[in-house]
Amino acid sequence: MKTESADILIIGAGPAGSVAAGLLRKQGRDVLVLEREQFPRFSIGESLLPQSMEYIEAAGMLQDVVEAGFQYKNGAAFVRGDKYTDFDFRDKFSPGWGTTFQVQRAHFDHVLAKGAERQGATVRYRHEVLSVDTNGEQPEVTARGPDGETYRVRARFLLDASGFGRVLPRLLNLETPSNFPKRGAIFTHVLDRTPPGSFDRNKIRVTVHPEHVHVWYWTIPFSDGRCSLGVVAKMEYLEQYQGTDTERLQAIVKETPSLSDLLKDAVWDTPARKLTGYAANVKSLWGPGFALLGNAGEFLDPVFSSGVTIAFKSASLAADCIRRAYAGETVDWEKDYAKPLKAGVDTFRTFVESWYEGGFQQVIFHPNPSPDVRRMISAILAGYAWDTNNPYVAESKRRLTVLEAVCA
């Protein structure tokens, strides 16, 4: 069997893998990316957070993304019954980007992957990782190409950016149950045909079911008059509906008048899909010669669109650890990678848990919010979950518990 070598081997050419490749190429590293699918390919998670732009820029891909023609995004809107509120991410506590884009992921991911190639990374599509050995001096992967031929790759570092494919957690028995309740999502793309002035296309819209606090919908407008539409709920709620996934989604949308009315002229021209039991966790985010990026390590929930931001943050932290290792420094991957990454993830976790319990929804829809507190909350919703200067990051649980009591 043929054996190759690379400085860095990355599994997956999605956002985490491509941005990691761009950052590592800037260090002068030899980067090989193995991607199981052929791009462009469909993926969910279309609403970016402004914090993401920092990492896209650092990876040398800002111009690629800006010129791709995606829908401009400056905030998030929330609807529950006759209540409406929105956050403008430009008005936030934390410094940094306040705008971003809403993207069709098939196109967006391909833009990033091509950006990584432009910077010199080798990206191989339709190459599947079959096994991995981390017991030797360097990690070694066995992969299979589209021609059926298998080969080995040895690398100094191995980064798993395989997303929900979760290659290394599966192959190395790293998976562990998430402590989140089992939820699912049904989603599609529609030609929305929303009436002029009825829909702020510069913001994602999150709509809460009028009766069930744990059921919510996303509506993410794109630049071509279409939008991503989905519902998230506990599995037992979704499973009570009959028919195709499209019919189930249509039935659930009809239960919420504000959303049903908004989309009354929509053209449902794309079969719906579903994702069930998506919350995931692992025993460790790193091991001998490898690290898990983004969804390959942990995925919380789509409610605040944090997935891509967490993926980019993990790519940035891992690339910096690798830079230091090549410079001869001692790197503690738990201290320098896992703990900093988890700090922001835990901030998101606090707000996600509170959302489903209803407390954070009370905060969002409070009629007389404190402007300063709203700016702090806006920063977290914009992705700045690692900014410990923000009291709602530094003491997220305590602060949010107090705020919930005030807003109850």
Side-chain angles (χ1 to χ4, degrees), residues 297-369:
E298 181 172 7
F299 182 73
L300 295 175
D301 191 272
V303 64
F304 301 128
S305 305
S306 60
V308 173
T309 298
I310 293 171
F312 286 157
K313 179 69 174 181
S314 68
S316 176
L317 288 169
D320 191 58
C321 286
I322 291 171
R323 176 192 61 78
R324 292 175 52 208
Y326 270 95
E329 299 180 34
T330 299
V331 177
D332 182 336
W333 279 82
E334 184 64 26
K335 174 178 175 290
D336 301 329
Y337 175 72
K339 286 187 176 179
L341 181 60
K342 287 179 179 178
V345 173
D346 285 345
T347 298
F348 282 124
R349 185 194 312 278
T350 297
F351 284 83
V352 169
E353 289 176 342
S354 178
W355 168 270
Y356 283 106
E357 291 165 359
F360 188 46
Q361 294 186 30
Q362 293 288 91
V363 171
I364 285 177
F365 291 109
H366 194 272
N368 298 301

Side-chain angles (χ1 to χ4, degrees), residues 165-182:
R166 298 170 62 77
V167 172
L168 291 192
R170 287 189 296 102
L171 295 177
L172 298 179
N173 193 30
L174 297 173
E175 294 183 310
T176 188
S178 172
N179 57 3
F180 269 38
K182 191 172 182 181

